[in-house]
Amino acid sequence: MAKKNEVDVDLNEELKTLRHDKWRSQLVWMASIIIVVLVIAFFLASTVGLQEQVLTSYQEKTLKLGLVFMIVLLVGYLLDREERLRKINVTLIKNLQKTSEMLRYRMNQLAVLNRISLILSSSLNMTESFTYMMKDLCQKLPLEGGILYLVSGDKIEAKSIYNLNELYNINQFPPCQRVTQVVGMGKGDPLTLTDIKTTEKMSQDDLFYKEEFDSAIIVPLMSNNILKGVFLAFSRKPEKSLGPEEADFLKIIGLQLTLSISNSELYSKVSTEKLMEERKLSAVIENMGDGVVALDRSFNILLVNSVAKNILTRSAPESSGSDLATILNQQIYLDLWREALLNHEGPAVREFDVEGPSHLTLIVLATPLKDVLGRIEGVIMVLRDVTHEREVMKLKDDFISTISHELRTPLTSIKAYTDMLMEGAISKEDSVNYLKVVKEETDRLSLLLDDLLDLSLLRSGKYDLERSLQAINPTIDMAINAISQPAVKKNLKLLYEAKDLPPVTISSNHIYRALVNLLQNAVKYTPEGGSITVNSGTDPNYLWITVSDTGIGIGPEEQLKIFDKFYQVESSSTRSHGGAGIGLSLVKQLIELHGGTIEVASEVGKGSTFTIKLPLR
Ligand code: ADP
């Protein structure tokens, strides 16, 4: 763009002289009128023959001479005026040319500005848009390159560079004294530096020195009186020196750059916040205890968390393989999805059992997935694996019926025997036997109620174990004694050899309860003629006691569950023995309260071995 914005004053000068010429033109008009009057007078006088009578010949000559002089004056004036008008015309044309050139210049500036604002607003990547902008500017202005600095905290850092001689790493950019100065001033006006090589004092590591700038313009980028950055434009050639005119233009470019920086900051803030939100949300969804699956309106999976993947894979029918979309493509999920899409009011819920690689009970809740305008975009399904809860519920139900039975059986026999005793017509021997039965049944009841009470105390955490360092052999002896009679009754061999065991920190009462429970089970689940063996010993860290029987044994699946509360192996052979399914659960908790463990090894039809381990230290 050419520099053409001076206002021409010649035209004004010309017009001024033309205006001052007014009295001259009035004089000329008067002279012209006099000439005309005189010419008419002469003409009339000569036609009527008065000329000779009124004027002497001398007067006549003088008059004619005056007339000729006046005509010459008039012609001279007219010629002079003509010349002046011509000059004005030329000046006018020149001015018109200048104005049109200036207009073209301004139009050009506007076009550049338009393009640059488009470039800056089309990308939120400042480095990218700055490079495009500089490319454009260097074609239109006597610029050779530029640098964009951004303020971050109390530092100013080069963000983007264009057309520098050296290849700088943007993070180790040479310092620039003048830029630092402008930043320090914190004002909005551009600083124009010309003839830099001769006028500026620079150190050798200064950017201006290194890059041999001849002229430069430093434009502070201010937004709401806050310095956002600095835009530096430079030229290396003296013939392309940057001046105030470029500074004015670059100031406007600076406004655009500031706007762009603010936009980019806002965008990065919003996108960072959005990213954080998204991350938080996906972390929440991923770490949810329930499975979550989002499906679109065409039943495509939009999102699935790892719990849902796990549930779906475990519940997959053999035919569907491991592909989640295929697993989900089952009637029950399709129905839920359709229901949620159609029924906008509440969620659609189903509880159902699935037989995949393992048996699962699932509750699936499907709700419509809506966008911000409330339009339904798909369905969110929440999958909850309630297999364990349902099993526990079933166990509790079973327990109630079992415990009622367990209570009723001894009570019935107690009642029957006491009735008979009260009738009185029985021998002494019989009445002793009846009373024995009543006592046995009462003991059974009291043991069962003790177990129940202990279990509820253990559950509430109020169980108080008073432990002390003591020998364990007396406790083992007592427990064996407690079951020796029922064992003899069932014709079971009871094998036990006391070992020399070190003292151990126990509550003997509770270890006794645990051992009695194990021994009672051994008696209960070992057919007549079998044997029960109690063994003991130590390892470096613990003392162990085993209770083995040659009974009915426990299957591998059941072995995992027998220590659960209320669990009883579902088979006619075990059910016939009664029990409430709380014994082993109680044993486990008592042993664990001692810091120990209990394990079972068993084979169906061959027998079981329960091992208790108690820590020695
Ligand atoms: P229960 O009162 O039913 O015996 P437990 O908690 O003591 O309850 O035992 C749970 C289940 O474990 C029993 O119902 C039984 O099926 C099985 N069980 C326990 N001990 C033995 C054993 N020694 N031999 C075979 N099965 C056993």
Side-chain angles (χ1 to χ4, degrees), residues 521 524-525 549 554 562 567-569 574 579-581 583-584 608 610:
N521 277 350
K524 238 192 316 184
Y525 300 113
D549 62 53
I554 309 160
I562 51 170
Y567 184 81
Q568 293 184 300
V569 177
T574 51
L584 285 182
S608 316
F610 287 85

Side-chain angles (χ1 to χ4, degrees), residues 211-223:
E211 286 292 325
E212 300 172 330
F213 291 166
D214 171 71
S215 57
I217 294 171
I218 302 172
V219 188
L221 306 174
M222 313 273 293
S223 165

Side-chain angles (χ1 to χ4, degrees), residues 412-586:
T412 314
S413 57
I414 289 169
K415 190 177 177 304
Y417 282 104
T418 41
D419 281 351
M420 284 197 281
L421 280 167
M422 282 171 77
E423 277 170 13
I426 38 170
S427 66
K428 196 174 176 197
E429 196 186 332
D430 275 351
S431 61
V432 171
N433 283 338
Y434 290 178
L435 281 171
K436 261 190 192 166
V437 176
V438 170
K439 187 180 177 302
E440 268 172 26
E441 293 299 333
T442 321
D443 284 348
R444 200 170 131 191
L445 262 180
S446 124
L447 210 70
L448 180 66
L449 290 172
D450 278 354
D451 279 0
L452 275 173
L453 200 67
D454 282 351
L455 206 64
S456 88
L457 282 175
L458 277 167
R459 202 179 159 183
S460 64
K462 289 179 194 151
Y463 211 81
D464 194 15
L465 277 191
E466 278 180 20
R467 293 195 286 162
S468 61
L469 190 66
Q470 55 189 285
I472 199 167
N473 274 335
T475 313
I476 302 175
D477 289 341
M478 260 168 65
I480 292 173
N481 274 339
I483 57 102
S484 61
Q485 246 188 345
V488 171
K489 239 188 191 176
K490 252 185 118 177
N491 195 20
L492 299 174
K493 250 187 264 160
L494 198 54
L495 308 164
Y496 169 59
E497 198 186 315
K499 298 271 169 61
D500 191 12
L501 298 172
V504 61
T505 310
I506 52 164
S507 156
S508 59
N509 192 15
H510 293 104
I511 293 296
Y512 167 78
R513 294 275 305 282
L515 287 172
V516 167
N517 248 303
L518 291 180
L519 287 163
Q520 273 178 340
N521 277 350
V523 172
K524 238 192 316 184
Y525 300 113
T526 307
E528 292 206 6
S531 65
I532 298 170
T533 313
V534 177
N535 208 345
S536 59
T538 52
D539 271 335
N541 297 323
Y542 52 83
L543 181 151
W544 54 264
I545 305 165
T546 55
V547 176
S548 312
D549 62 53
T550 55
I552 57 169
I554 309 160
E557 286 266 309
E558 284 78 24
Q559 286 177 29
L560 303 171
K561 298 178 184 170
I562 51 170
F563 295 104
D564 289 351
K565 228 180 292 166
F566 314 135
Y567 184 81
Q568 293 184 300
V569 177
E570 283 289 341
S571 82
S572 54
S573 50
T574 51
R575 293 307 301 121
S576 61
H577 296 98
I582 52 174
L584 285 182
S585 161
L586 187 73

Side-chain angles (χ1 to χ4, degrees), residues 197-233:
K197 281 175 209 152
T198 49
T199 56
E200 294 281 311
K201 276 188 202 147
M202 296 172 285
S203 65
Q204 291 199 352
D205 64 340
D206 194 291
L207 177 81
F208 279 24
Y209 179 85
K210 283 187 161 195
E211 286 292 325
E212 300 172 330
F213 291 166
D214 171 71
S215 57
I217 294 171
I218 302 172
V219 188
L221 306 174
M222 313 273 293
S223 165
N224 292 333
N225 279 334
I226 297 169
L227 189 79
K228 295 268 173 196
V230 170
F231 167 36
L232 175 114

Side-chain angles (χ1 to χ4, degrees), residues 4-294:
K4 297 276 177 193
N5 66 347
E6 317 101 49
V7 179
D8 203 302
V9 288
D10 292 359
L11 185 65
N12 291 341
E13 287 297 317
E14 296 289 347
L15 288 171
K16 220 194 278 172
T17 50
L18 206 66
R19 241 176 277 125
H20 287 172
D21 230 21
K22 214 171 169 185
W23 61 269
R24 262 204 278 174
S25 86
Q26 278 172 359
L27 215 70
V28 168
W29 272 112
M30 273 169 63
S32 315
I33 292 164
I34 294 167
I35 291 166
V36 172
V37 171
L38 281 173
V39 169
I40 293 169
F42 268 112
F43 177 73
L44 286 173
S46 61
T47 42
V48 286
L50 276 175
Q51 210 173 342
E52 288 90 24
Q53 293 162 21
V54 180
L55 297 170
T56 63
S57 77
Y58 175 71
Q59 281 172 326
E60 192 187 322
K61 270 187 195 150
T62 314
L63 253 172
K64 277 183 182 165
L65 210 69
L67 201 64
V68 169
F69 179 69
M70 283 180 105
I71 289 171
V72 169
L73 255 181
L74 189 66
V75 170
Y77 169 76
L78 285 174
L79 284 174
D80 177 50
R81 194 178 164 81
E82 176 64 29
E83 175 59 20
R84 244 180 268 174
L85 281 172
R86 198 190 59 78
K87 267 190 187 167
I88 286 172
N89 254 352
V90 171
T91 320
L92 263 175
I93 288 166
K94 267 193 200 163
N95 270 2
L96 213 69
Q97 275 173 347
K98 278 180 189 172
T99 316
S100 79
E101 251 176 80
M102 210 162 80
L103 263 176
R104 208 173 314 129
Y105 174 78
R106 293 286 178 219
M107 293 276 289
N108 237 337
Q109 271 192 340
L110 262 179
V112 173
L113 254 178
N114 261 344
R115 231 181 1 256
I116 280 170
S117 67
L118 209 75
I119 289 170
L120 290 177
S121 58
S122 64
S123 166
L124 287 162
N125 177 339
M126 279 313 294
T127 312
E128 190 185 87
S129 47
F130 181 76
T131 311
Y132 286 138
M133 179 193 92
M134 285 311 298
K135 218 182 225 175
D136 210 59
L137 274 183
C138 288
Q139 280 171 14
K140 306 290 170 198
L141 293 183
L143 288 184
E144 283 186 276
I147 301 158
L148 176 69
Y149 293 89
L150 290 187
V151 173
S152 104
D154 51 0
K155 277 193 294 178
I156 177 123
E157 290 162 356
K159 173 82 183 164
S160 188
I161 49 184
Y162 182 76
N163 219 9
L164 293 181
N165 282 341
E166 271 187 54
L167 269 179
Y168 298 102
N169 177 347
I170 202 93
N171 299 320
Q172 291 153 7
F173 202 65
C176 181
Q177 189 203 336
R178 281 300 206 166
V179 169
T180 325
Q181 249 175 32
V182 168
V183 171
M185 286 191 296
K187 284 190 186 145
D189 286 329
L191 178 72
T192 311
L193 303 166
T194 44
D195 231 352
I196 290 174
K197 281 175 209 152
T198 49
T199 56
E200 294 281 311
K201 276 188 202 147
M202 296 172 285
S203 65
Q204 291 199 352
D205 64 340
D206 194 291
L207 177 81
F208 279 24
Y209 179 85
K210 283 187 161 195
E211 286 292 325
E212 300 172 330
F213 291 166
D214 171 71
S215 57
I217 294 171
I218 302 172
V219 188
L221 306 174
M222 313 273 293
S223 165
N224 292 333
N225 279 334
I226 297 169
L227 189 79
K228 295 268 173 196
V230 170
F231 167 36
L232 175 114
F234 62 82
S235 164
R236 292 190 185 88
K237 294 183 189 122
E239 67 273 16
K240 277 181 140 192
S241 177
L242 301 171
E245 202 171 307
E246 281 75 26
D248 282 349
F249 185 62
L250 291 183
K251 192 178 174 182
I252 304 171
I253 299 282
L255 293 178
Q256 295 284 343
L257 267 174
T258 314
L259 205 73
S260 190
I261 292 169
S262 301
N263 280 348
S264 147
E265 275 176 357
L266 194 73
Y267 174 76
S268 82
K269 196 175 161 225
V270 170
S271 51
T272 315
E273 277 170 11
K274 207 174 148 221
L275 201 74
M276 295 288 285
E277 284 303 315
E278 277 173 7
R279 276 195 192 148
K280 253 191 254 167
L281 192 69
S282 46
V284 168
I285 291 174
E286 194 50 40
N287 292 307
M288 268 173 74
D290 289 328
V292 178
V293 182

